[in-house]
Amino acid sequence: MRELRKYEVWEDYWCYEPINKIPFELLKELNYYCWGPKEDDEIKIRIESYDTTELPKENQLKALEFIVKNEANILEGLWDYYQNLILPVYQTATDIEMAEIANNKSELSKVFGVMAIEIPPLESFSSVYFLIEFDFKYDCEHGLYLLFKNHKPIDLFGEGDKAYESIDIYEKGLYNDDQTPLKIRICKPDGNTVITGEYFYNKKI
């Protein structure tokens, strides 16, 4: 087991971090920065704690070890998510020049700079969940957080907008507690509606 220390990030926000630096070889190659280079290439790790426990939850430790052992798969998941969601959304919302587009996985450092890894104290699931905080070329003001399920991103946020509702969708399915049908609206990146209506979770659309 890795040795950890508990520290106060800011008032009443406590985290754990490994005492010994973890030498991420692949994630540290994502080194884009908006305002200025970091003093070193260390990726900050924040294993979050919202109580007085002296050790992280077991699933948090499991998530940390998963990240260490699966850097390549995480980068592959990031590349897929970038192509299929991040780039189309931001191309629609902002003016992105061709030179700012990553054309292959090795060019992701043109867009992303890993700042920190956060592991929240969630329920225990068979999958691991964690966030990566990025310096982000397409929105330097707000940055970017990606929520990962194992090695695949499943949600994205700006700074200050983190939320974990999508985890319940992946773990428990999408449903209303009162058994009423779900209100569904699916849009293209440009905002035009593809489909809208009310459906029960098991109805094929």
Side-chain angles (χ1 to χ4, degrees):
M1 179 177 171
R2 297 180 188 273
E3 290 187 278
L4 306 170
R5 76 175 187 93
K6 192 173 185 179
Y7 67 103
E8 192 172 24
V9 182
W10 55 76
E11 186 176 1
D12 294 329
Y13 175 50
W14 292 85
C15 289
Y16 305 91
E17 67 177 0
I19 291 175
N20 297 319
K21 178 180 175 181
I22 296 177
F24 292 106
E25 295 299 326
L26 299 179
L27 290 177
K28 72 179 183 183
E29 293 179 2
L30 301 181
N31 56 6
Y32 173 81
Y33 54 85
C34 286
W35 313 118
K38 296 191 298 183
E39 293 181 1
D40 55 43
D41 61 359
E42 181 178 3
I43 295 173
K44 193 70 176 173
I45 295 175
R46 296 191 286 265
I47 305 174
E48 295 180 316
S49 172
Y50 297 123
D51 53 36
T52 58
T53 58
E54 292 303 317
L55 291 172
K57 292 185 175 182
E58 184 177 343
N59 61 317
Q60 290 178 290
L61 298 175
K62 176 183 172 183
L64 177 59
E65 295 308 315
F66 176 89
I67 297 164
V68 171
K69 295 175 181 177
N70 289 276
E71 286 186 84
N73 290 332
I74 290 168
L75 279 181
E76 191 65 43
L78 174 60
W79 170 238
D80 289 343
Y81 201 68
Y82 171 76
Q83 295 179 92
N84 296 320
L85 191 142
I86 293 175
L87 182 59
V89 167
Y90 280 88
Q91 276 184 313
T92 301
T94 63
D95 294 324
I96 298 175
E97 298 180 3
M98 291 299 296
E100 298 174 324
I101 295 174
N103 296 299
N104 54 62
K105 190 168 57 176
S106 66
E107 292 186 346
L108 286 173
S109 59
K110 292 166 59 174
V111 181
F112 301 97
V114 177
M115 297 177 65
I117 294 169
E118 292 186 5
I119 305 175
L122 303 171
E123 296 178 47
S124 293
F125 299 113
S126 58
S127 301
V128 299
Y129 292 91
F130 58 92
L131 298 114
I132 298 182
E133 178 188 5
F134 295 95
D135 248 352
F136 183 47
K137 174 73 174 178
Y138 304 155
D139 190 348
C140 280
E141 181 179 355
H142 301 101
L144 180 72
Y145 279 87
L146 292 182
L147 173 63
F148 284 76
K149 175 185 179 180
N150 298 329
H151 65 279
K152 294 184 177 181
I154 61 170
D155 210 345
L156 74 166
F157 325 96
E159 186 177 5
D161 295 327
K162 291 183 295 182
Y164 306 118
E165 287 86 353
S166 57
I167 293 177
D168 276 345
I169 295 173
Y170 276 84
E171 291 294 334
K172 302 174 184 177
L174 190 60
Y175 63 92
N176 287 328
D177 290 334
D178 62 3
Q179 306 303 311
T180 56
L182 299 165
K183 294 181 179 180
I184 302 293
R185 184 185 177 199
I186 300 173
C187 299
K188 295 179 180 179
D190 62 8
N192 289 325
T193 299
V194 176
I195 189 171
T196 186
E198 295 188 359
Y199 303 92
F200 286 101
Y201 79 96
N202 57 353
K203 181 177 180 181
K204 189 173 182 180
I205 300 175

